Amino acid sequence: MKAAVVTDFAQPPHYGEFPEPVAGRDGVVVEVLAAGLHPRVRSQAGGFHYTSTGELPLVPGVDAVVRDPKGQIRYAVLDDTTMGSMAERTVIELGRSVALPDTIDPVVIAAAMNPAMSSWVALRRRIDFGGHQRVLILGATGNAGRMAIQVAKRFGAAEVIAAGRDAAKLAELPALGADRTLTFAELAQAAEVDVVIDYLWGEPTAKAMVDLLTHRSDRGKPLTWIELGAIAGPVAALPAAALRSARLQIVGSGIGAVPGADFVKELPALAEAVAQGAFDVRAQAVPLAQVAEAWASTGASDRIVLVP
Ligand SMILES: NC(=O)c1ccc[n+]([C@@H]2O[C@H](COP(=O)([O-])OP(=O)(O)OC[C@H]3O[C@@H](n4cnc5c(N)ncnc54)[C@H](OP(=O)(O)O)[C@@H]3O)[C@@H](O)[C@H]2O)c1
């Protein structure tokens, strides 16, 4: 069958032949309708995600909208194996999928679920988010950040402050529900927030943390910092004194920090919300045959979705 195939972690996937998937004990072979090219998939295909086993060749793709053998359309998350979702067919576990109505647009679902799941699961499963808290989103102009604005509002946040580096993209965010937007240079103005949803890490996070903590009027007031992505760097140098001088709690949210079963439990409600059009979703469908060109297109704001 045709698939996106990685034979060398230093090269982008190419469109080529890959052996037909085998169902195995718990799996079922399904037809892939749409698979999102998320940052997580780039790190999988590059061999640098923390779950990478280093095994090649592999088909990348960590989730997909599929049609099962009974004709049911599903959204499925996949294990990290060499048989990912960017292929004509793949293997899923039915227990790690959710059935969807025939009326959904597979491309929209495939684009939205991974970025939306990050903040949805973090606020539902990783921290005690009762709503009425003030939330700052670092990296709010990306797909996950844009979703986080909408998710935090949906869960009752008292205020959502969206921070990013691109002024033109920031200007679009009030339409999604952001109460305020800030550049990274202005983060002292967000010093009173209760929760930070952080997709950046690296140098911007280290600077942001100091800016917030040093400008906080009451340093005894809890601040929960949720680490969700490291798009600006894998390491952040945090000054010890800043941590000691405020009631800061840093937690991560991802597979491992949250049990896989808890992610799966959140799939139906999130998929239903996406299917009902609750979120503004930016998606660009690209034929699977153009996977190499899609990989080269890193600056696009819309989430690329490969369609076999
Ligand atoms: N833990 C989880 O459950 C989970 C789930 C989904 C995603 N994630 C992670 O979340 C991160 C964001 O994903 P995404 O889907 O939003 O990606 P995306 O759509 O590509 O957006 C990337 C965002 O990061 C910003 N950015 C990139 N490099 C930067 C830098 N050097 N300094 C400051 N900002 C920078 C971009 O700003 P511009 O708009 O200005 O380019 C944009 O806002 C990724 O690391 C991804 O792996 C985690």
Side-chain angles (χ1 to χ4, degrees), residues 1-299:
M1 68 169 178
K2 293 293 187 193
V5 184
V6 179
T7 49
D8 176 349
F9 286 127
Q11 301 295 328
H14 62 271
Y15 184 66
E17 286 294 329
F18 199 78
E20 284 288 339
V22 179
R25 206 166 63 94
D26 300 320
V28 45
V29 175
V30 292
E31 176 193 353
V32 177
L33 303 180
L37 205 182
H38 316 298
R40 165 80 176 78
V41 181
R42 288 185 186 275
S43 54
Q44 175 196 31
F48 53 86
H49 193 261
Y50 62 86
T51 58
S52 176
T53 61
E55 203 182 331
L56 287 174
L58 72 79
V59 171
V62 295
D63 65 352
V65 177
V66 302
R67 184 178 286 115
D68 76 14
K70 292 183 176 162
Q72 175 69 56
I73 295 181
R74 296 178 172 274
Y75 168 77
V77 288
L78 274 69
D79 267 337
D80 262 290
T81 68
T82 52
M83 186 66 256
S85 57
M86 293 184 165
E88 290 177 299
R89 286 168 288 286
T90 191
V91 175
I92 66 160
E93 283 175 38
L94 291 177
R96 299 183 65 206
S97 72
V98 53
L100 298 168
D102 283 354
T103 47
I104 56 105
D105 180 344
V107 171
V108 168
I109 302 280
M113 289 296 285
N114 171 276
M117 209 181 308
S118 62
S119 53
W120 182 289
V121 167
L123 296 182
R124 297 259 303 158
R125 297 274 171 177
R126 190 63 179 94
I127 70 165
D128 189 10
F129 190 73
H132 311 300
Q133 284 134 306
R134 283 171 286 185
V135 177
L136 168 66
I137 300 163
L138 295 179
T141 54
N143 284 278
R146 292 166 55 90
M147 288 295 179
I149 296 168
Q150 302 171 75
V151 167
K153 276 285 173 183
R154 184 181 179 93
F155 291 160
E159 185 181 21
V160 175
I161 305 173
R165 62 180 177 178
D166 183 319
K169 289 184 189 170
L170 280 176
E172 298 170 6
L173 303 184
L176 299 182
D179 298 293
R180 282 194 281 156
T181 62
L182 297 174
T183 63
F184 296 142
E186 298 168 330
L187 283 176
Q189 295 173 37
E192 306 303 335
V193 295
D194 307 293
V195 175
V196 177
I197 293 178
D198 182 2
Y199 293 106
L200 303 179
W201 210 244
E203 202 186 323
T205 287
K207 184 178 175 310
M209 209 176 271
V210 172
D211 280 351
L212 258 63
L213 295 179
T214 54
H215 288 87
R216 217 160 163 74
S217 58
D218 176 2
R219 294 196 192 177
K221 195 163 71 93
L223 172 62
T224 304
W225 201 287
I226 317 176
E227 204 302 296
L228 276 159
I231 205 109
V235 175
L238 308 175
L243 303 188
R244 284 199 303 277
S245 61
R247 198 168 172 76
L248 171 69
Q249 179 183 209
I250 305 174
V251 301
S253 183
I255 294 284
V258 176
D262 285 0
F263 269 89
V264 171
K265 282 181 198 151
E266 294 298 333
L267 288 182
L270 175 56
E272 188 181 353
V274 175
Q276 286 175 348
F279 302 121
D280 180 85
V281 179
R282 290 197 166 173
Q284 184 194 344
V286 174
L288 181 61
Q290 291 170 21
V291 60
E293 293 90 322
W295 232 261
S297 150
T298 49

